[in-house]
C-alpha cells in the first residue's frame, strides 16, 4: 500500500520506525534550516552594512554566505529524506556529506571577513 505522505520515495519504503527516531531526524533537519537562515542573514548583513571601499570583497563574501545558506537548506532536505529512508529500511544512516563542505565555506568566509576588517 502506498502512503499518502510526501515524499513517496521515503514513506513508501520499509516500515514505520520508532517515532522518537523520526522526530530526532526532524529536529536535525530544523537545526540545518536554522543554520541556513543564519548564513543567509549573515550574507544580507555583510552587504547591508556597506563598509566603505572593498566593494568586490564584500560582495563576494555576501554571495558566498547566501549560496552557503541555500546549499545548506537544500542539502538539509536530502539529508532528512536519506536518513528517514534508511531508518525505514533498517539500513545504516548515510554519512554527513554537508559537514565538510560547510566547514570549508565557513573558513573561507571567515578569512574574507577578516580581510574586510583589516583592509
Amino acid at each position: 500500500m502506498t502512503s499518502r505522505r510526501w515524499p513517496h520515495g521515503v514513506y513508501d519504503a520499509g516500515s514505520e520506525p520508532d517515532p522518537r527516531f523520526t522526530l530526532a531526524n526532524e529536529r536535525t533537519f530544523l537545526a540545518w534550516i536554522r543554520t541556513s537562515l543564519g548564513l543567509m542573514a549573515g550574507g544580507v548583513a555583510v552587504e547591508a552594512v556597506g563598509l566603505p571601499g572593498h566593494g568586490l570583497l564584500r560582495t563576494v563574501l555576501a554571495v558566498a554566505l547566501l549560496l552557503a545558506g541555500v546549499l545548506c537548506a537544500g542539502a538539509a532536505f536530502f539529508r532528512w529524506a536519506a536518513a528517514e529512508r534508511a531508518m525505514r529500511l533498517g539500513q545504516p544512516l548515510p554519512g554527513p556529506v554537508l559537514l565538510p563542505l560547510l566547514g570549508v565555506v565557513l573558513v573561507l568566509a571567515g578569512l574574507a571577513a577578516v580581510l574586510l576588517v583589516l583592509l
Side-chain angles (χ1 to χ4, degrees), residues 26-96:
E26 289 176 10
R27 284 190 301 273
T28 302
F29 168 77
L30 292 173
W32 281 110
I33 293 299
R34 283 190 303 273
T35 300
S36 171
L37 288 171
L39 288 166
M40 289 189 268
V44 169
V46 164
E47 192 59 32
V49 167
L51 297 172
H54 319 299
L56 179 61
L57 182 58
R58 186 182 67 236
T59 301
V60 167
L61 176 58
V63 168
L65 288 170
L66 287 165
L67 288 176
V70 170
L71 174 70
C72 189
F77 172 78
F78 291 108
R79 168 76 176 158
W80 166 83
E84 187 68 25
R85 186 172 171 81
M87 288 189 297
R88 296 177 73 79
L89 295 173
Q91 297 173 342
L93 294 177

